[in-house]
Amino acid sequence: MREETRLGVAFASVLLSSHAAGDAPFGVLVDADGAAETYGVCIACHSEKIIAQQGLSRAAWDELLDWMVEEHGMANIQGPVRDRILDYLAQHYGEDRPNYSPD
Amino acid sequence: MIPRYPRSNRRAFLQGASLATLSALVGAAIPFHRHLPRGFVPVVIADDLTIAGKAGLSVLNDRPLNAETPPALLDDAITPTHRHFIRNNGNPPADTSADAWRLAVDGLVKTPFDLSIDDLKQRFEVVRLALVIECGGNGRAFFDPPARGNQWTYGAVGCSLWTGVRLKDVLAAAGVDDNVVYTAHYGADTHLSGDPARLPISRGVPIAKALTDGVLIAFEMNDGPLHPMNGAPLRLVVPGWPGSCSQKWLTRIQLRDIVHDGPKMTGKSYRVPNRPVAPGEKVDEQNFEIIERMPVKSLITSPATGVETNESVVAVRGHAWSGDRAIASVDVSFDFGARWQRAQLDPPFNAGAWQNWRTTVRLPQAGYYEIWARATDTAGDAQPHAIDWNPKGYLNNTMHRVAVRLT
């Protein structure tokens, strides 16, 4: 990569990240499709750090959302929003743990 | 502190932190907190997330606060207050002053009562014991497939000096009815949803456990006040059982004629399958049973893992413990378990404390070594190599391994 291009990319990413609310728009959550819904629904009671630690299958995330509703009083989200949240969680916080390291 | 998340993210989570959490982080009440704009991060913590009165802990979650201690920082024979892990389920109470605190003892007792902390000190014998508290999920991070919950690695354990009165003395004064089977514990922390009708956690123990000598209602930690995040001003300490039995910010103990069914007693919480299962196996809820004592375990607190040295003689030390039992021996290996050498082992400070051990290993030549420690308790149980996998990630007592490179 030529020097100016590299600087240009660096500059653009600074602009992008400072443009968003705070430094990271979704806290420690990976910024990808479905992050906005997940962040919006899930950080009312606790921070997203408890979510980012997990490595669960889609079915296990589904079960966990039920537990949030039944035990902890989360709104019962169904339909396309639930699907987007589950797809996001299963992809970025799945059993292969692409975004987790113990320290 | 070991950073787990990029620095840029700290601000984001601090903006969502409650006043109690912010106060804990700053180390003082924030008198003019009402003047703080929403989402404003006090300048003393804006640059680095530290928990006041706690040094070097790794923060797993900031809201609610959950933090563990890297093994090398657990080197002290008795865990100093600033090194004791934090496991919060809800929002800690805003007011933790001791003067107005009340403890109710009720349910199936002859004489229910309600006492101040001073009343407790005056009416009952005050004792000071070194007691192990370990989170039931300590070691969960290594489960494969992963188990949900905070991903504790090694350091959700501590053995501090706790001063208080014996639960059994308090229960004797209240008069335990013949049909009592279980205790139920309640604290002043509030549910994360803000719904006052929900409790963050309310667990209990079989009455036989509650009536043992080592169970304390504690109001001092290491001869000083309890840390606010460790349950100030009053908590239970049930040594050798999952930490969740040791209710923090304790306000009420109720005696019941059924196994207590409060939040985190039922379902899969603090429960394991009643038979060995394959990793990832689905287990019906009715085949889970409540965890009681924690299994035999040890930690190597020196050397720290990853250390590089040119000294072939390495001092190795740590702690070992086993719920409701003592440790019989600790063995150490530096050749992946082919040969073992016996460590020198101290008796416990008292029943319920961990036992300190030490040895010296002589590494034969330059290279990469792993030092392993394996404790065996008085019932003959030793630490396993592999995790006895269970769906919620409890009771991981596999051997601790630390890496050492001899140059």
PDB file of all heavy atoms in Angstrom, chain B residues 67-88:
ATOM      1  N   ALA B  67     -15.152  -9.588  38.987  1.00  0.00           N
ATOM      2  CA  ALA B  67     -13.714  -9.464  38.770  1.00  0.00           C
ATOM      3  C   ALA B  67     -12.980 -10.579  39.506  1.00  0.00           C
ATOM      4  O   ALA B  67     -13.355 -10.946  40.618  1.00  0.00           O
ATOM      5  CB  ALA B  67     -13.230  -8.098  39.250  1.00  0.00           C
ATOM      6  N   GLU B  68     -11.944 -11.114  38.862  1.00  0.00           N
ATOM      7  CA  GLU B  68     -11.177 -12.197  39.475  1.00  0.00           C
ATOM      8  C   GLU B  68      -9.718 -11.791  39.620  1.00  0.00           C
ATOM      9  O   GLU B  68      -9.259 -10.824  39.017  1.00  0.00           O
ATOM     10  CB  GLU B  68     -11.306 -13.482  38.657  1.00  0.00           C
ATOM     11  CG  GLU B  68     -10.694 -13.397  37.272  1.00  0.00           C
ATOM     12  CD  GLU B  68     -10.653 -14.765  36.580  1.00  0.00           C
ATOM     13  OE1 GLU B  68     -10.358 -15.775  37.245  1.00  0.00           O
ATOM     14  OE2 GLU B  68     -10.939 -14.816  35.361  1.00  0.00           O
ATOM     15  N   THR B  69      -8.983 -12.577  40.392  1.00  0.00           N
ATOM     16  CA  THR B  69      -7.607 -12.247  40.736  1.00  0.00           C
ATOM     17  C   THR B  69      -6.659 -13.185  39.996  1.00  0.00           C
ATOM     18  O   THR B  69      -6.793 -14.401  40.112  1.00  0.00           O
ATOM     19  CB  THR B  69      -7.399 -12.410  42.252  1.00  0.00           C
ATOM     20  OG1 THR B  69      -8.514 -11.846  42.931  1.00  0.00           O
ATOM     21  CG2 THR B  69      -6.121 -11.729  42.703  1.00  0.00           C
ATOM     22  N   PRO B  70      -5.716 -12.647  39.223  1.00  0.00           N
ATOM     23  CA  PRO B  70      -4.751 -13.540  38.567  1.00  0.00           C
ATOM     24  C   PRO B  70      -4.004 -14.362  39.631  1.00  0.00           C
ATOM     25  O   PRO B  70      -3.678 -13.833  40.695  1.00  0.00           O
ATOM     26  CB  PRO B  70      -3.802 -12.562  37.856  1.00  0.00           C
ATOM     27  CG  PRO B  70      -4.581 -11.289  37.717  1.00  0.00           C
ATOM     28  CD  PRO B  70      -5.485 -11.234  38.907  1.00  0.00           C
ATOM     29  N   PRO B  71      -3.741 -15.658  39.360  1.00  0.00           N
ATOM     30  CA  PRO B  71      -3.161 -16.536  40.388  1.00  0.00           C
ATOM     31  C   PRO B  71      -1.924 -15.962  41.074  1.00  0.00           C
ATOM     32  O   PRO B  71      -1.783 -16.083  42.287  1.00  0.00           O
ATOM     33  CB  PRO B  71      -2.818 -17.806  39.604  1.00  0.00           C
ATOM     34  CG  PRO B  71      -3.791 -17.826  38.487  1.00  0.00           C
ATOM     35  CD  PRO B  71      -4.041 -16.391  38.130  1.00  0.00           C
ATOM     36  N   ALA B  72      -1.036 -15.314  40.315  1.00  0.00           N
ATOM     37  CA  ALA B  72       0.192 -14.805  40.926  1.00  0.00           C
ATOM     38  C   ALA B  72      -0.099 -13.724  41.969  1.00  0.00           C
ATOM     39  O   ALA B  72       0.719 -13.482  42.854  1.00  0.00           O
ATOM     40  CB  ALA B  72       1.140 -14.266  39.859  1.00  0.00           C
ATOM     41  N   LEU B  73      -1.270 -13.097  41.870  1.00  0.00           N
ATOM     42  CA  LEU B  73      -1.628 -12.077  42.862  1.00  0.00           C
ATOM     43  C   LEU B  73      -2.360 -12.689  44.062  1.00  0.00           C
ATOM     44  O   LEU B  73      -2.755 -11.985  44.980  1.00  0.00           O
ATOM     45  CB  LEU B  73      -2.482 -10.979  42.220  1.00  0.00           C
ATOM     46  CG  LEU B  73      -1.802 -10.164  41.115  1.00  0.00           C
ATOM     47  CD1 LEU B  73      -2.704  -9.016  40.666  1.00  0.00           C
ATOM     48  CD2 LEU B  73      -0.457  -9.620  41.580  1.00  0.00           C
ATOM     49  N   LEU B  74      -2.534 -14.005  44.036  1.00  0.00           N
ATOM     50  CA  LEU B  74      -3.152 -14.691  45.182  1.00  0.00           C
ATOM     51  C   LEU B  74      -2.077 -15.375  46.028  1.00  0.00           C
ATOM     52  O   LEU B  74      -2.343 -16.323  46.746  1.00  0.00           O
ATOM     53  CB  LEU B  74      -4.173 -15.733  44.689  1.00  0.00           C
ATOM     54  CG  LEU B  74      -5.510 -15.173  44.215  1.00  0.00           C
ATOM     55  CD1 LEU B  74      -6.345 -16.261  43.557  1.00  0.00           C
ATOM     56  CD2 LEU B  74      -6.276 -14.553  45.386  1.00  0.00           C
ATOM     57  N   ASP B  75      -0.856 -14.855  45.951  1.00  0.00           N
ATOM     58  CA  ASP B  75       0.293 -15.511  46.576  1.00  0.00           C
ATOM     59  C   ASP B  75       0.252 -15.470  48.111  1.00  0.00           C
ATOM     60  O   ASP B  75       0.780 -16.361  48.768  1.00  0.00           O
ATOM     61  CB  ASP B  75       1.575 -14.847  46.049  1.00  0.00           C
ATOM     62  CG  ASP B  75       2.807 -15.704  46.267  1.00  0.00           C
ATOM     63  OD1 ASP B  75       2.695 -16.933  46.148  1.00  0.00           O
ATOM     64  OD2 ASP B  75       3.871 -15.140  46.566  1.00  0.00           O
ATOM     65  N   ASP B  76      -0.397 -14.460  48.679  1.00  0.00           N
ATOM     66  CA  ASP B  76      -0.406 -14.347  50.146  1.00  0.00           C
ATOM     67  C   ASP B  76      -1.062 -15.554  50.803  1.00  0.00           C
ATOM     68  O   ASP B  76      -2.030 -16.096  50.283  1.00  0.00           O
ATOM     69  CB  ASP B  76      -1.190 -13.092  50.570  1.00  0.00           C
ATOM     70  CG  ASP B  76      -0.577 -11.836  50.005  1.00  0.00           C
ATOM     71  OD1 ASP B  76      -0.948 -11.449  48.868  1.00  0.00           O
ATOM     72  OD2 ASP B  76       0.271 -11.236  50.669  1.00  0.00           O
ATOM     73  N   ALA B  77      -0.545 -15.902  51.993  1.00  0.00           N
ATOM     74  CA  ALA B  77      -1.105 -17.025  52.744  1.00  0.00           C
ATOM     75  C   ALA B  77      -2.582 -16.758  53.071  1.00  0.00           C
ATOM     76  O   ALA B  77      -3.421 -17.648  53.015  1.00  0.00           O
ATOM     77  CB  ALA B  77      -0.308 -17.261  54.016  1.00  0.00           C
ATOM     78  N   ILE B  78      -2.875 -15.525  53.430  1.00  0.00           N
ATOM     79  CA  ILE B  78      -4.248 -15.074  53.662  1.00  0.00           C
ATOM     80  C   ILE B  78      -4.539 -13.995  52.627  1.00  0.00           C
ATOM     81  O   ILE B  78      -3.752 -13.056  52.464  1.00  0.00           O
ATOM     82  CB  ILE B  78      -4.390 -14.473  55.091  1.00  0.00           C
ATOM     83  CG1 ILE B  78      -4.137 -15.553  56.159  1.00  0.00           C
ATOM     84  CG2 ILE B  78      -5.748 -13.810  55.268  1.00  0.00           C
ATOM     85  CD1 ILE B  78      -5.184 -16.636  56.241  1.00  0.00           C
ATOM     86  N   THR B  79      -5.648 -14.111  51.929  1.00  0.00           N
ATOM     87  CA  THR B  79      -5.940 -13.181  50.833  1.00  0.00           C
ATOM     88  C   THR B  79      -6.266 -11.784  51.367  1.00  0.00           C
ATOM     89  O   THR B  79      -7.261 -11.619  52.088  1.00  0.00           O
ATOM     90  CB  THR B  79      -7.130 -13.700  49.999  1.00  0.00           C
ATOM     91  OG1 THR B  79      -6.856 -15.058  49.638  1.00  0.00           O
ATOM     92  CG2 THR B  79      -7.326 -12.868  48.753  1.00  0.00           C
ATOM     93  N   PRO B  80      -5.457 -10.783  51.026  1.00  0.00           N
ATOM     94  CA  PRO B  80      -5.779  -9.412  51.451  1.00  0.00           C
ATOM     95  C   PRO B  80      -7.095  -8.960  50.800  1.00  0.00           C
ATOM     96  O   PRO B  80      -7.456  -9.441  49.721  1.00  0.00           O
ATOM     97  CB  PRO B  80      -4.615  -8.570  50.928  1.00  0.00           C
ATOM     98  CG  PRO B  80      -3.575  -9.530  50.455  1.00  0.00           C
ATOM     99  CD  PRO B  80      -4.248 -10.835  50.188  1.00  0.00           C
ATOM    100  N   THR B  81      -7.753  -8.044  51.454  1.00  0.00           N
ATOM    101  CA  THR B  81      -9.055  -7.569  50.958  1.00  0.00           C
ATOM    102  C   THR B  81      -8.960  -7.078  49.517  1.00  0.00           C
ATOM    103  O   THR B  81      -9.838  -7.361  48.700  1.00  0.00           O
ATOM    104  CB  THR B  81      -9.568  -6.455  51.888  1.00  0.00           C
ATOM    105  OG1 THR B  81      -9.653  -7.003  53.216  1.00  0.00           O
ATOM    106  CG2 THR B  81     -10.935  -5.940  51.455  1.00  0.00           C
ATOM    107  N   HIS B  82      -7.859  -6.397  49.200  1.00  0.00           N
ATOM    108  CA  HIS B  82      -7.778  -5.820  47.853  1.00  0.00           C
ATOM    109  C   HIS B  82      -7.531  -6.878  46.776  1.00  0.00           C
ATOM    110  O   HIS B  82      -7.563  -6.563  45.592  1.00  0.00           O
ATOM    111  CB  HIS B  82      -6.726  -4.706  47.782  1.00  0.00           C
ATOM    112  CG  HIS B  82      -5.317  -5.158  47.987  1.00  0.00           C
ATOM    113  ND1 HIS B  82      -4.776  -5.357  49.239  1.00  0.00           N
ATOM    114  CD2 HIS B  82      -4.329  -5.440  47.114  1.00  0.00           C
ATOM    115  CE1 HIS B  82      -3.516  -5.740  49.113  1.00  0.00           C
ATOM    116  NE2 HIS B  82      -3.220  -5.802  47.834  1.00  0.00           N
ATOM    117  N   ARG B  83      -7.283  -8.131  47.195  1.00  0.00           N
ATOM    118  CA  ARG B  83      -7.089  -9.195  46.213  1.00  0.00           C
ATOM    119  C   ARG B  83      -8.259 -10.173  46.152  1.00  0.00           C
ATOM    120  O   ARG B  83      -8.184 -11.191  45.458  1.00  0.00           O
ATOM    121  CB  ARG B  83      -5.833 -10.014  46.554  1.00  0.00           C
ATOM    122  CG  ARG B  83      -4.543  -9.226  46.598  1.00  0.00           C
ATOM    123  CD  ARG B  83      -4.026  -8.936  45.204  1.00  0.00           C
ATOM    124  NE  ARG B  83      -2.613  -8.625  45.239  1.00  0.00           N
ATOM    125  CZ  ARG B  83      -2.073  -7.573  44.626  1.00  0.00           C
ATOM    126  NH1 ARG B  83      -2.821  -6.734  43.952  1.00  0.00           N
ATOM    127  NH2 ARG B  83      -0.770  -7.371  44.687  1.00  0.00           N
ATOM    128  N   HIS B  84      -9.292  -9.929  46.920  1.00  0.00           N
ATOM    129  CA  HIS B  84     -10.399 -10.885  46.951  1.00  0.00           C
ATOM    130  C   HIS B  84     -11.333 -10.653  45.768  1.00  0.00           C
ATOM    131  O   HIS B  84     -11.730  -9.522  45.497  1.00  0.00           O
ATOM    132  CB  HIS B  84     -11.174 -10.769  48.271  1.00  0.00           C
ATOM    133  CG  HIS B  84     -11.994 -11.985  48.577  1.00  0.00           C
ATOM    134  ND1 HIS B  84     -13.179 -12.257  47.930  1.00  0.00           N
ATOM    135  CD2 HIS B  84     -11.784 -13.008  49.435  1.00  0.00           C
ATOM    136  CE1 HIS B  84     -13.659 -13.408  48.399  1.00  0.00           C
ATOM    137  NE2 HIS B  84     -12.843 -13.885  49.305  1.00  0.00           N
ATOM    138  N   PHE B  85     -11.689 -11.728  45.083  1.00  0.00           N
ATOM    139  CA  PHE B  85     -12.524 -11.602  43.883  1.00  0.00           C
ATOM    140  C   PHE B  85     -13.908 -11.022  44.205  1.00  0.00           C
ATOM    141  O   PHE B  85     -14.325 -10.996  45.366  1.00  0.00           O
ATOM    142  CB  PHE B  85     -12.650 -12.964  43.181  1.00  0.00           C
ATOM    143  CG  PHE B  85     -13.615 -13.929  43.839  1.00  0.00           C
ATOM    144  CD1 PHE B  85     -14.925 -14.067  43.373  1.00  0.00           C
ATOM    145  CD2 PHE B  85     -13.224 -14.704  44.926  1.00  0.00           C
ATOM    146  CE1 PHE B  85     -15.821 -14.949  43.975  1.00  0.00           C
ATOM    147  CE2 PHE B  85     -14.116 -15.595  45.536  1.00  0.00           C
ATOM    148  CZ  PHE B  85     -15.411 -15.718  45.057  1.00  0.00           C
ATOM    149  N   ILE B  86     -14.588 -10.574  43.150  1.00  0.00           N
ATOM    150  CA  ILE B  86     -15.932  -9.989  43.292  1.00  0.00           C
ATOM    151  C   ILE B  86     -16.888 -10.710  42.357  1.00  0.00           C
ATOM    152  O   ILE B  86     -16.620 -10.814  41.155  1.00  0.00           O
ATOM    153  CB  ILE B  86     -15.921  -8.492  42.896  1.00  0.00           C
ATOM    154  CG1 ILE B  86     -14.973  -7.692  43.794  1.00  0.00           C
ATOM    155  CG2 ILE B  86     -17.327  -7.910  42.926  1.00  0.00           C
ATOM    156  CD1 ILE B  86     -14.682  -6.289  43.246  1.00  0.00           C
ATOM    157  N   ARG B  87     -17.995 -11.225  42.915  1.00  0.00           N
ATOM    158  CA  ARG B  87     -19.012 -11.803  42.063  1.00  0.00           C
ATOM    159  C   ARG B  87     -20.342 -11.161  42.462  1.00  0.00           C
ATOM    160  O   ARG B  87     -20.890 -11.451  43.519  1.00  0.00           O
ATOM    161  CB  ARG B  87     -19.063 -13.342  42.245  1.00  0.00           C
ATOM    162  CG  ARG B  87     -19.799 -14.131  41.131  1.00  0.00           C
ATOM    163  CD  ARG B  87     -21.266 -13.922  41.128  1.00  0.00           C
ATOM    164  NE  ARG B  87     -21.974 -14.712  40.130  1.00  0.00           N
ATOM    165  CZ  ARG B  87     -22.666 -14.189  39.126  1.00  0.00           C
ATOM    166  NH1 ARG B  87     -22.697 -12.886  38.936  1.00  0.00           N
ATOM    167  NH2 ARG B  87     -23.335 -14.983  38.312  1.00  0.00           N
ATOM    168  N   ASN B  88     -20.821 -10.243  41.632  1.00  0.00           N
ATOM    169  CA  ASN B  88     -22.102  -9.596  41.898  1.00  0.00           C
ATOM    170  C   ASN B  88     -23.150 -10.094  40.919  1.00  0.00           C
ATOM    171  O   ASN B  88     -22.872 -10.240  39.732  1.00  0.00           O
ATOM    172  CB  ASN B  88     -21.970  -8.074  41.745  1.00  0.00           C
ATOM    173  CG  ASN B  88     -21.195  -7.438  42.896  1.00  0.00           C
ATOM    174  OD1 ASN B  88     -20.916  -8.084  43.897  1.00  0.00           O
ATOM    175  ND2 ASN B  88     -20.853  -6.171  42.737  1.00  0.00           N
TER     176      ASN B  88
END
